[in-house]
């Protein structure tokens, strides 16, 4: 579970970090390796501990127990100003009494960098974030996207080894957010600085990251590449949080054979105990609709929603509501058959999250939950 | 729309009436008296005759400036300290700070006198210890001390208010960018609390420059400040006009100093002055 996608040298290591606020456990034993030049994303819902983890790396919080290592050196109790780490804060925290130039130059002035060099470095940063000519502008006259860029420039000008980004795109509108995602990724590749990015937006995480760390209830659920996280979620929480999932109870009969919905299916998973109860994940887009006469699973369509490039269908199969994404047009009330290829079946061990997610019978609840998640993270 | 306007006007009426009766008319009287002689004839003599009071003006401004600066030096760290304590303690500390303000200014000044007097508490203790007595009442120091003692809360409160409103993220950002605690104070906290300092200065400087009671009691009659001079002129019907002229000049001085300070505060908000 502790694998990472980059093989470079480990720059930050979290070891068994525990943190409580007012007797409430926020982090219960976080272990994490962050590598040089990696774009790593801490992903999870509100209150999962991702922001606290970031603040511990930045030095703004001290863990109750556990250690933070930087290049192998224990920095758990080092104050923020002594760390080679800079932060892009949620809602930016640009200094209102300074103009754009002085905001970016702030860190350099503290380090007593010569004036000529400051001017050159600030100029270079403004070019990098596409804000040439904004030097004299007042912070309050900038748009959200421009403030965002100043915040990034202000942090990067100090040439940190690691840049922490706390939901930096949450306050931007959708279009700008997409552009900034691409831009941030470009900046990360250009500068070669390790980015630790915090977000609750799974799409953002999937499109930007080298490595995703999925967190819930104060602990790490899964670490892996976006593809791995999406295709091979380790438990019901990860499967549900990243994309849409049908999660059904199953029995692992033997290696490569799983039974669910009263049928036995071939699959690619192995290494479970004989007849072990498991959670089975099938992504809605991996399900094919076939004539019900040819199919092991048949059910009745209860809802059809047009989504532009596909239809989202809810079908009642053996008293379980499945979500299917297809380009085939079917009608409500129609009886359909579905087919699932062995490589589209992901078998997961039972976990504390089993039975909580992945059923589309209460679709409105699902929507509520999604809207909760899209609210800003106020940890 | 129209009734709304009418209602708004009606609601403002008591205030407008009050202002006209107790602010505008008296001001007009001050201006009238300042430019007339005791027979009601127009004259500039009252204003030109004020050159004899130059020293009074300088002394008053000097005392008020010193008191204001000392209030900043004491009040700023105090406000910072209070804003850093636990919220429950902050309330107690603010009440303690305000407590003297619930007591009448005259009584506070008298109590300070009884401490500093030749036969007062401090000198009593000194002579009990066999030390020579200190002459305190009647010195400039006592007058300035009186101003500081009476007006310090007016410096602390506005600074404290801006400090508690200061967004913690600015402080974290400064620490993130390499500031130690002292640099956080000088580079971020002080520049961002300038508005509080400005209103503190206003609220200490203005009453200090126009006070008469403090200088009479604690100055022992040695120091003649603007407030004392004005008071004396108005005790005698024949010098109303001089008193009005001094009042007018003092008002103009205060207005100018407020305008200068506001300009400074505005510039600061635009960014640039303080780096």
């Amino acid at each position: 579970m502790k694998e990472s996608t980059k093989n470079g040298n480990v720059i930050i290591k979290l070891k068994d970090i525990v943190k409580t606020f007012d007797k409430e456990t926020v982090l219960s034993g976080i272990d994490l390796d962050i590598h040089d030049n990696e774009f790593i994303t801490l992903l999870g819902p509100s209150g999962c501990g991702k922001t606290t983890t970031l603040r511990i790396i930045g030095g703004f919080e001290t863990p109750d127990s556990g250690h933070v290592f930087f290049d192998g050196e224990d920095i758990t109790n080092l104050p923020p100003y002594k760390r080679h780490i800079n932060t892009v804060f949620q809602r930016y925290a640009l200094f209102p009494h300074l103009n754009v130039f002085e905001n970016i130059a702030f860190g350099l002035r503290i380090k007593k960098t010569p004036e000529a060099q400051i001017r050159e470095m600030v100029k270079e940063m403004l070019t990098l974030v596409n804000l040439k000519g904004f030097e004299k502008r007042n912070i309050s006259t900038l748009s959200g996207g421009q403030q965002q860029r100043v915040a990034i420039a202000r942090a990067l000008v100090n040439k940190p080894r690691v840049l922490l980004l706390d939901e930096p795109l949450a306050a931007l509108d959708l279009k700008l957010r997409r552009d900034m995602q691409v831009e941030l990724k470009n900046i990360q590749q250009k500068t070669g600085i390790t980015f630790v990015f915090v977000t609750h937006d799974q799409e953002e995480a999937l499109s930007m990251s080298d490595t995703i760390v999925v967190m819930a209830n104060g602990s790490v659920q899964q670490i892996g590449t976006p593809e791995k996280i999406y295709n091979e979620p380790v438990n019901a929480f990860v499967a549900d949080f990243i994309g849409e999932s049908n999660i059904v109870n199953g029995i692992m009969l033997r290696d490569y054979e799983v039974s669910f919905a009263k049928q036995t299916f071939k699959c690619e998973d192995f290494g479970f105990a004989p007849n072990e109860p498991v959670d089975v994940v099938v992504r809605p887009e991996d399900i094919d609709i076939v004539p019900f006469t040819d199919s092991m699973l048949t059910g009745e369509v209860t809802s059809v929603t047009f989504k532009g490039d596909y239809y989202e269908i809810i079908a009642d199969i053996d008293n379980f509501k499945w979500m299917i994404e297809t380009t085939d047009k079917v009608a409500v009330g129609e009886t359909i058959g579905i087919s699932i290829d062995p490589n589209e079946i992901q078998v997961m061990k039972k976990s504390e999250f089993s039975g909580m997610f992945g059923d589309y019978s209460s679709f409105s609840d699902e929507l509520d939950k999604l809207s909760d998640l899209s609210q800003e993270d106020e940890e | 729309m129209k009734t709304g306007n009418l209602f708004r006007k009606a609601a403002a009426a008591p205030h407008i009436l009050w202002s006209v009766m107790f602010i505008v008319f008296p001001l007009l009287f001050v201006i009238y008296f300042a430019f007339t002689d005791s027979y009601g004839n127009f004259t500039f003599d009252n204003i030109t005759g004020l050159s004899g009071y130059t020293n009074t003006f300088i002394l008053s401004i000097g005392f008020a400036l010193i008191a204001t600066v000392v209030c900043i030096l004491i009040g700023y760290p105090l406000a910072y300290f209070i804003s850093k304590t636990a919220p429950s303690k902050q309330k107690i500390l603010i009440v303690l700070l305000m407590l003297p303000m619930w007591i009448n200014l005259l009584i506070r000044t008298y109590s300070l006198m009884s401490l500093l007097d030749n036969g007062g508490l401090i000198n009593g203790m000194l002579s009990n210890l066999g030390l020579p007595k200190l002459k305190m009442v009647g010195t400039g120091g006592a007058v300035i001390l009186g101003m500081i003692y009476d007006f310090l809360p007016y410096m602390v409160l506005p600074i404290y208010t801006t400090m508690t409103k200061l967004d913690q993220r600015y402080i974290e950002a400064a620490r993130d960018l390499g500031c130690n605690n002292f640099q956080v104070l000088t580079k971020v906290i002080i520049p961002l609390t300038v508005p509080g300092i400005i209103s503190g200065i206003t609220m200490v400087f203005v009453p200090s420059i126009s006070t008469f009671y403090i200088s009479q009691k604690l100055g022992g009659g040695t120091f003649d400040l603007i407030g004392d001079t004005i008071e004396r002129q108005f005790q005698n019907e024949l010098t109303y006009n001089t008193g009005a002229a001094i009042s007018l000049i003092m008002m103009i001085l205060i207005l100018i100093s407020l305008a200068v300070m506001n300009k400074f505060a505005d510039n600061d908000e635009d960014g640039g002055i303080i780096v």
Side-chain angles (χ1 to χ4, degrees):
Chain A
M1 231 183 51
K2 274 186 60 188
E3 72 196 279
S4 181
T5 54
K6 291 267 174 178
N7 299 319
N9 119 74
V10 174
I11 182 161
I12 288 176
K13 188 180 192 66
L14 301 184
K15 205 159 161 20
D16 202 18
I17 300 283
V18 175
K19 178 77 184 170
T20 56
F21 289 121
D22 298 331
K23 289 175 191 158
E24 201 168 316
T25 305
V26 182
L27 298 177
S28 46
I30 300 284
D31 288 305
L32 182 63
D33 286 355
I34 299 171
H35 298 79
D36 251 340
N37 199 9
E38 186 176 21
F39 196 124
I40 189 167
T41 299
L42 308 181
L43 174 67
S46 269
C48 72
K50 56 191 191 297
T51 296
T52 307
T53 307
L54 196 78
R55 291 173 60 80
I56 285 172
I57 298 173
F60 300 109
E61 304 283 354
T62 318
D64 299 343
S65 68
H67 295 275
V68 184
F69 296 95
F70 188 96
D71 267 348
E73 188 191 337
D74 191 336
I75 60 161
T76 315
N77 294 310
L78 209 61
Y81 67 91
K82 288 188 178 161
R83 302 188 178 198
H84 302 287
I85 298 173
N86 285 109
T87 309
V88 175
F89 290 87
Q90 206 174 24
R91 288 176 305 254
Y92 328 129
L94 298 173
F95 300 122
H97 61 295
L98 302 176
N99 63 18
V100 169
F101 182 94
E102 289 302 332
N103 260 283
I104 299 174
F106 191 91
L108 300 174
R109 292 210 190 283
I110 296 294
K111 275 179 260 164
K112 308 236 184 303
T113 313
E115 186 64 31
Q117 205 179 333
I118 289 179
R119 231 170 292 147
E120 195 180 313
M121 289 170 83
V122 172
K123 208 173 154 202
E124 195 181 306
M125 275 303 137
L126 284 170
T127 312
L128 181 74
V129 298
N130 281 326
L131 281 181
K132 261 196 243 174
F134 277 68
E135 286 88 343
K136 294 262 182 293
R137 288 283 288 274
N138 191 325
I139 293 304
S140 59
T141 67
L142 301 182
S143 70
Q146 288 164 344
Q147 292 190 24
Q148 174 64 76
R149 288 154 201 266
V150 175
I152 292 165
R154 182 178 71 173
L156 281 179
V157 77
N158 302 292
K159 307 219 177 302
R161 297 277 305 281
V162 177
L163 184 70
L164 309 179
L165 302 106
D166 185 6
E167 303 244 13
L169 309 181
L172 305 180
D173 63 57
L174 189 65
K175 170 92 175 59
L176 198 54
R177 194 150 70 202
R178 293 258 160 83
D179 294 345
M180 282 305 292
Q181 287 173 10
V182 176
E183 214 167 311
L184 268 180
K185 185 77 194 157
N186 285 340
I187 290 172
Q188 193 263 332
Q189 281 164 350
K190 237 185 264 178
T191 55
I193 293 169
T194 303
F195 276 34
V196 185
F197 190 92
V198 160
T199 184
H200 61 258
D201 183 336
Q202 43 109 0
E203 197 194 311
E204 202 164 275
L206 290 173
S207 60
M208 296 171 80
S209 320
D210 298 319
T211 307
I212 295 177
V213 180
V214 184
M215 295 180 67
N217 301 346
S219 53
V220 172
Q221 303 300 323
Q222 188 172 7
I223 302 175
T225 62
E227 291 85 355
K228 179 115 177 155
I229 297 271
Y230 188 84
N231 294 326
E232 296 167 41
V234 295
N235 63 32
F237 177 84
V238 178
D240 179 76
F241 195 75
I242 318 284
E244 297 290 345
S245 309
N246 299 292
I247 306 172
V248 293
N249 289 319
I251 303 285
M252 198 69 188
L253 299 172
R254 57 188 71 84
D255 284 353
Y256 311 113
E257 217 173 275
V258 63
S259 141
F260 58 90
K262 295 185 185 141
Q263 302 289 340
T264 301
F265 294 83
K266 296 260 175 257
C267 65
E268 297 185 333
D269 301 87
F270 56 92
F272 293 83
N275 294 322
E276 181 177 338
V278 290
D279 286 332
V280 177
V281 183
V282 183
R283 297 286 184 185
E285 70 272 21
D286 293 337
I287 300 173
D288 296 324
I289 293 184
V290 294
F292 67 91
T293 45
D294 307 351
S295 169
M296 289 202 289
L297 292 177
T298 60
E300 188 188 322
V301 176
T302 61
S303 118
V304 177
T305 313
F306 180 58
K307 289 286 184 181
D309 45 355
Y310 64 91
Y311 293 98
E312 184 182 273
I313 293 167
I314 305 294
D316 189 331
I317 297 167
D318 191 31
N319 287 326
F320 187 90
K321 306 273 189 192
W322 289 69
M323 180 188 273
I324 303 162
E325 290 172 10
T326 175
T327 52
D328 302 333
K329 183 149 175 54
V330 294
V332 174
E334 198 176 321
T335 303
I336 55 170
I338 61 170
S339 116
I340 305 164
D341 290 341
N343 63 352
E344 312 290 16
I345 294 171
Q346 163 71 6
V347 179
M348 311 180 301
K349 291 223 182 253
K350 284 280 178 192
S351 68
E352 56 182 308
F353 303 104
S354 295
M356 290 165 65
F357 305 109
D359 173 13
Y360 290 95
S361 56
S362 51
F363 205 40
S364 56
D365 290 352
E366 191 81 9
L367 285 177
D368 283 348
K369 195 180 61 156
L370 286 173
S371 70
D372 281 349
L373 293 178
S374 63
Q375 274 164 16
E376 237 175 82
D377 199 1
E378 295 286 359
E379 281 173 61
Chain B
M1 197 62 185
K2 208 165 184 188
T3 51
N5 267 336
L6 204 66
F7 177 75
R8 247 182 288 167
K9 276 180 191 157
H15 173 71
I16 291 172
L17 197 68
W18 177 275
S19 305
V20 169
M21 278 179 63
F22 296 107
I23 299 174
V24 179
F25 272 131
L27 261 177
L28 290 176
F29 275 121
V30 168
I31 295 170
Y32 170 77
F33 278 117
F35 289 103
T36 52
D37 61 21
S38 44
Y39 302 106
N41 301 318
F42 180 82
T43 177
F44 278 115
D45 289 354
N46 302 320
I47 305 286
T48 50
L50 289 187
S51 53
Y53 292 100
T54 313
N55 286 341
T56 308
F57 274 99
I58 291 175
L59 192 68
S60 296
I61 294 171
F63 275 16
L65 274 180
I66 295 171
T68 308
V69 169
V70 176
C71 276
I72 296 176
L73 294 180
I74 300 173
Y76 198 89
L78 185 59
Y80 181 72
F81 165 75
I82 295 176
S83 75
K84 287 285 158 201
T85 54
S88 54
K89 278 189 196 154
Q90 284 186 26
K91 270 187 199 145
I92 299 171
L93 290 172
I94 287 298
V95 168
L96 283 178
L97 184 79
M98 307 244 298
L99 207 56
M101 290 163 73
W102 301 352
I103 299 162
N104 187 291
L105 175 77
L106 304 185
I107 297 170
R108 272 187 284 157
T109 310
Y110 260 110
S111 63
L112 200 58
M113 246 178 94
S114 70
L115 278 178
L116 303 179
D117 224 348
N118 278 340
L121 206 63
I122 294 175
N123 276 325
M125 270 163 55
L126 285 177
S127 52
N128 278 346
L129 293 169
L131 295 167
K133 284 192 175 184
L134 282 176
K135 179 180 159 53
M136 287 178 288
V137 169
T139 62
V143 176
I144 294 171
L145 180 69
M147 291 176 176
I148 296 167
Y149 170 67
D150 279 331
F151 302 129
L152 182 64
Y154 298 104
M155 178 64 78
V156 178
L157 284 180
I159 296 175
Y160 165 78
T161 308
T162 50
M163 251 173 208
T164 49
K165 280 197 216 138
L166 185 68
D167 198 324
Q168 287 303 304
R169 290 175 307 135
Y170 296 134
I171 293 166
E172 287 193 350
R175 291 172 70 206
D176 184 78
L177 293 166
C179 287
N180 57 32
N181 288 340
F182 180 72
Q183 286 166 322
V184 169
L185 183 69
T186 57
K187 302 280 179 188
V188 176
I189 298 179
I190 290 179
L192 289 179
T193 48
V194 164
I197 301 174
I198 298 281
S199 40
I201 289 174
T202 311
M203 290 171 76
V204 172
F205 184 73
V206 173
S208 296
I209 203 172
S210 56
T211 182
F212 60 92
Y213 197 77
I214 295 172
S215 53
Q216 275 171 19
K217 292 298 157 199
L218 294 169
T222 326
F223 299 98
D224 210 19
L225 300 188
I226 304 178
D228 305 310
T229 311
I230 295 173
E231 196 213 6
R232 202 160 353 96
Q233 307 301 329
F234 280 101
Q235 277 163 357
N236 179 350
E237 222 169 288
L238 291 174
T239 50
Y240 261 37
N241 307 85
T242 313
I246 302 175
S247 303
L248 190 66
I249 296 298
M250 194 178 78
M251 263 187 306
I252 291 169
L253 280 179
I254 290 175
L255 277 178
I256 291 172
S257 57
L258 289 187
V260 168
M261 274 191 295
N262 279 334
K263 183 90 181 74
F264 184 75
D266 283 350
N267 273 345
D268 182 63
E269 269 173 12
D270 292 341
I273 282 192
I274 296 170
V275 173

